[in-house]
Amino acid sequence: MDSSAAQTLVHEPSVIYPRLKIRLGRVITYAILISLALLMLLPFLWMISASLKMDKDVFRYPIEWVPAIPQWSNYIAIWTRIPFLTFFANTLKLTVTITLLQVFTSSFAAYAFAKLHFPGRDLLFLAYIGSIAIPWQVYMVPQFIMMRQLGLVDNHASLILLQAFSAFGVFLLRQFFVSIPDEILDAARIDGMSEYGIYFRIMLPLSKPALATLTIFTSVAVWNDFMGPLIYLTSQHLKTIQLGLRMFIQQYSADYALIMAAALVSLIPVVILFLALQRFFVEGIATTGVKG
Amino acid sequence: MSTVSLRQTTIAAGKRRSHFKKYLVAYSFILPNLIGFAIFTLVPMVFSLALSFMNWDGANQISWAGLDNFRRLLTDETFGISLRNTLFFVSGNVPLTMMASLGLALLLNQPLRGRNLFRTTFFFPYVASLVAVAVVWNMLFFPSAGPVNQVLISLGVQNPPRWAASVDWAMPTVIMASVWKGMGYYMIIYLAALQSIPSTLYEAAAVDGANGWQKFRHITLPMLTPATFFISVMLIISSFKIFDLIMVMTGGGPGRATNVLVIHIYNTAFREFRFGYSSSIAMVLLVMVLGITIVQFYMERRWVKYQ
Amino acid sequence: MPRLFAQRNAKFPVVLLSLLVVLALSGGVFAQDAAPVALRMTAWDVATTPYWQALIDAYEAQNPNVTVELTDLASADYQDVVNIMLSGGDTTDIITVKDIPGYSAMLTRGQIIPLTDLIEAADLDLSVYSGAAEELTYEGEIYALPFRSDIWILYYNKDIFDAAGIDYPTNDMTWDEFDALARQLTSGSGADKVYGGHFHVWRSTVQLATVQDGENTIIAEDYSFLAPMYNMVTGLQADGMIMDYGELRTGSIHYSGVFKNAQVAMLPMGSWFIATLIAAENAGEFDFDWGVAAYPHPEGVAAGTTAGTLTSLAINANSANQEAAWDFIQFYTGPEGAQVLAETGNLPAIRTPEVLATFAALDGVPEEAAEALQTTTVRLELPMHPRVGAIEQVLNEEHELIMTNSISVEEGIAEINRRIAELGEE
């Protein structure tokens, strides 16, 4: 990590500011960032601390940040108390499938909304945005009735079909696509490239940061979704991590130490994904700097 | 004579055909998403909105209600309270989250040591499971012995707020939690947008002798407008729809101090089984949000710079 | 009328039911049919609560042709999910009734079938449920039979009492005596403070005691009967004799943690907590002696009067196996089921002396339990009422406001009266 940061330092010399000014600015910047980062991390430090306590001590005040006797066994208990591994696999399957479908269909549609002209475009787009405005709680019962009649309840297919075609993805990508200069596309059209060719060979490579963004957002949303699996998945072998976390909250008790341990473990894949996709945010500069 | 007109019509038909083909191509791009979206989201959604003119208990026959449900809104005390609370939440959450996320993105767009680590850190709160976020946040703001109030007391504050446990402070506490959770998310959109600004623009400006502020004002901000437009629309919509975070943090309380529209929608549907009435509240929400969005779209034409 | 989705014919259950009764009366020709039957049943906390499966195993052993599969739903959202499932036309045969608002919602909308005729046909004696069956009866029909019934008792930390040199609570203690005792037992400060009493954040911890006398129920027109109990609890809170409600809420502080950490001397709580405490003690989570006593009672009310909660079973109106489901329910809620349930450390709805003896003989159950669990009268937390869900919502909200000192007890009661009256006008 440090070496890559150092590399970016070398690759992006600040031709903009005089050196001295930079140094003071840098100090202030780091001070702000570090204090903000601590504020962001404090809750996670607490989660780590709580995950190593006995449940009865989790909400004992004042907070004991370093548990006297760390309960490492909590990290074993989450795998044995509930079928956490199965839940992990299910969540992974849903997340990958839905994210792939969503990024593909959304970027396809977003290209048309951003760069092509056809009758009813604006109205259809408004319908998409309007649909974002309606809370899911309002239509989840009719949706459930429909899914049941399709025979898809208690099946991963129901969640995949419900979440793969989101208006959000279309809107997000459209906003990025419109900022890609029309001249590039026109030049390609004059060269005889079809719209599909333009989409695959120009739009997609140029919008890697946006695609990475949508990938992260969709993955996190699916990974952390609770209500969807709650309603649609009732068989134990189909359930997801978020349902698993709630299994530690029972009718008359709640084991928050285990919840925190499981929540932390379930964070790991998302953080890995985020770090893996980071490079696209940096790469963006080089690839979109094509405007002449 | 006739040959000319004949040729003209063939040209017109050809043009129409080429238009038609172009439209067909455009629709083919939209169709994969639209089919799934229309069947699985739009259809149940339209059905639900139609329910606002009907009565349905979720089990038995649906009956026509006309405008009864909307008339009832006028006398529903909890609806008034939840509408006011929602507007309070929107007016706090939207500007604060936008400013925080833009500020973070600008800071982290600079070549800094360890910026990947910082970016990940700021995105952390969004990734964390909600059930954990709620307990953790309430723990930080625990009235007597939580870290926040301990700091306040050490700074000499006599009676620090009781945060989520007090009617007056519950909503600000929820707003702070929401900004904390959301700013990393919108920061990413801003970062992606910042990365898409061609560096040649800055180089050209540097040649013209522009200073940092001028570059920000005349290059960065205008080039960020599509992202800003997206973020403002999404933030307003999602703030109007706030549900999960409040449900797990305060459950709408104390009393009805943080009861927002979607909580009221949920309660009328799932505690009282008035799906029709619950849809009519959603209808009000939709009209408000759509109204704001259309105004934003109109403004977009005027201030969003697409190249 | 628009019929947008296929709706259940309201007459269908009635027709089916009469058919079933005829079948049952005709000598049960089909009852011994060994054709395999697969039943499904909704439940919660299956992974961590052994009794669901223990009872099913016992039934399946007797009925080899029947299999019962549990659908495990998250406990906190159980009723919401069941409601959505039923709205979608789900056919799960047996629906577990978790609370009265859920029961009310399902029966008033015809989603579970009345059992009255079946009970008559099977000649069941409902008096074994010591009044619970009457509480479940609505407009002359009963739609569910209880199998589990928890009552409210008083838990206390013997070590704290011994250290203070105070006698243990008796099975005949008034709330005024509880109040005085809690004040005596509070000691220390800061992290080491010991609180005399503890009221968990639930509305019921305060409001249960107000209906113990049987003169009022939680569904009323004038709620002034709530005042004495609220005055007592807010008084204890203001004087620091119990933990602060707002802190319990925002700190997610659970009663089990504070009791296990010996931070409270007396804890009024449901009998389900006995099993939790035994398990924690065996796991070495705490090291002190604890006991149980009968729930305190208001002045002038007989000792042993308490409040309870029921867990019951009902038959889905959409079930295709209603006959088999009924047979299963009779076992689950009957004396055989009760015996199995007691062996798992839970209190069955049937309280025969044998069942109570089985429970009291379990390893770790404190010796006082046998007597403390002897109740004279059990009142239901919430009575059956078509609008009980909406009413409970109002009561919960005002409870929060009173307990966070956002409004006074008088203001809170006035608000409850006003809002409940408005609900009635609709």
Side-chain angles (χ1 to χ4, degrees), chain C residues 23-33 323:
Chain C
L23 279 176
L25 291 177
S26 64
V29 183
F30 301 102
Q32 288 307 308
D33 194 346
E323 190 188 354

Side-chain angles (χ1 to χ4, degrees), chain C residues 44-118:
Chain C
W44 56 90
D45 300 346
V46 171
T48 47
T49 318
Y51 68 77
W52 300 106
Q53 194 59 45
L55 279 149
I56 289 174
D57 290 345
Y59 181 77
E60 285 177 346
Q62 288 182 17
N63 302 271
N65 64 319
V66 184
T67 55
V68 186
E69 195 196 329
L70 286 168
T71 301
D72 186 16
L73 306 173
S75 155
D77 307 282
Y78 173 79
Q79 194 59 47
D80 288 351
V81 178
V82 166
N83 287 335
I84 293 172
M85 282 167 60
L86 293 179
S87 288
D90 189 272
T91 57
T92 301
D93 307 285
I94 301 138
I95 307 291
T96 309
V97 180
K98 193 167 179 245
D99 52 26
I100 294 298
Y103 180 62
S104 158
M106 292 188 290
L107 85 81
T108 52
R109 295 182 301 146
Q111 292 171 323
I112 50 179
I113 62 166
L115 305 175
T116 322
D117 294 344
L118 293 170

Side-chain angles (χ1 to χ4, degrees), chain B residues 92-144:
Chain B
N93 190 48
V94 174
L96 288 175
T97 308
M98 278 193 86
M99 284 189 288
S101 56
L102 178 59
L104 280 181
L106 288 172
L107 278 178
L108 289 176
N109 196 42
Q110 304 174 55
L112 293 170
R113 208 170 280 273
R115 73 173 172 181
N116 281 6
L117 207 63
F118 280 123
R119 286 175 181 175
T120 316
T121 309
F122 294 133
F123 191 57
F124 245 50
Y126 185 76
V127 180
S129 166
L130 203 64
V131 60
V133 167
V135 279
V136 172
W137 190 261
N138 276 332
M139 177 280 305
L140 287 180
F141 285 84
F142 187 66
S144 68

Side-chain angles (χ1 to χ4, degrees), chain A residues 1-2 4-6 8-9 12 14 16 26 29-30 32-34 36-37 39-44 46-47 59 61-63 65 105-106 108-109 111-113 116-119 122 124-126 128-135 137-143 145-147 150 161-162 165-168 170-172 174-176 178-179 181 195-196 199 209 213 216-217 220 224 227 242 245-246 249 256 259-260 263 267 270-271 274-275 278 281-282 284-285 288-289 291, chain B residues 22-30 32-34 36-37 39-45 47-49 51 56 104 107-132 135-136 138-140 142 145-147 150 180 183 185-186 188-189 191-193 195-200 212 215 226-227 229-230 233-234 237 241 243-244 248 262 265-266 270 275 278-279 282 285-286 289-290 293-294 297 300-301 306-307:
Chain A
M1 178 140 316
D2 249 340
S4 78
T8 49
L9 267 180
E12 295 170 20
S14 294
I16 303 162
R26 275 296 134 84
T29 308
Y30 276 112
I32 295 173
L33 282 176
I34 290 170
L36 269 176
L39 197 70
M40 294 284 126
L41 285 179
L42 191 67
F44 292 92
W46 183 84
M47 280 173 75
F59 293 109
Y61 294 89
I63 301 160
W65 287 92
T105 65
S106 301
F108 222 52
Y111 177 64
F113 279 122
L116 302 177
H117 299 273
F118 57 90
D122 289 351
L124 197 57
F125 191 58
L126 203 65
Y128 264 82
I129 294 189
S131 80
I132 306 176
I134 300 173
Q137 288 80 359
V138 175
Y139 59 92
M140 67 185 186
V141 170
Q143 204 176 44
I145 295 174
M146 198 172 85
M147 275 293 167
L150 292 174
L161 288 174
L162 290 188
F165 313 101
S166 89
F168 170 81
V170 176
F171 186 23
L172 176 77
R174 180 220 177 232
Q175 290 312 105
F176 277 97
V178 287
S179 64
E195 295 297 336
Y196 303 104
Y199 162 81
T213 308
I216 291 173
F217 286 0
V220 172
N224 283 339
M227 285 299 267
Q242 290 305 317
L245 286 188
R246 312 283 164 130
I249 303 180
Y256 273 101
I259 291 174
M260 293 304 154
L267 260 177
V270 189
V271 172
F274 187 79
L275 288 172
Q278 279 255 340
F281 295 117
V282 182
I285 287 183
T288 45
K291 196 190 175 196
Chain B
K22 258 169 80 181
Y23 296 158
L24 220 56
V25 169
Y27 286 124
S28 76
F29 271 97
I30 291 182
N33 192 282
L34 185 63
F37 172 72
I39 296 176
F40 298 111
T41 304
L42 228 45
V43 167
M45 208 176 252
F47 171 73
S48 288
L49 291 178
L51 270 183
W56 187 46
L104 280 181
L107 278 178
L108 289 176
N109 196 42
Q110 304 174 55
L112 293 170
R113 208 170 280 273
R115 73 173 172 181
N116 281 6
L117 207 63
F118 280 123
R119 286 175 181 175
T120 316
T121 309
F122 294 133
F123 191 57
F124 245 50
Y126 185 76
V127 180
S129 166
L130 203 64
V131 60
V135 279
V136 172
N138 276 332
M139 177 280 305
L140 287 180
F142 187 66
Q150 278 181 336
W180 172 78
M183 64 193 220
Y185 181 85
Y186 294 103
I188 293 199
I189 302 178
L191 269 177
Q195 294 295 344
S196 306
I197 300 175
S199 48
T200 46
K215 281 181 200 144
F229 171 69
F230 172 80
V233 169
M234 282 312 299
I237 292 180
K241 287 203 304 181
F243 175 74
D244 292 6
V248 292
V262 182
I265 287 173
Y266 192 81
F270 291 97
F275 285 90
S278 146
S279 287
L285 187 72
L286 176 69
V289 174
L290 221 49
T293 311
I294 289 170
F297 258 93
E300 181 204 24
R301 299 253 156 86
Y306 296 119
Q307 289 300 310

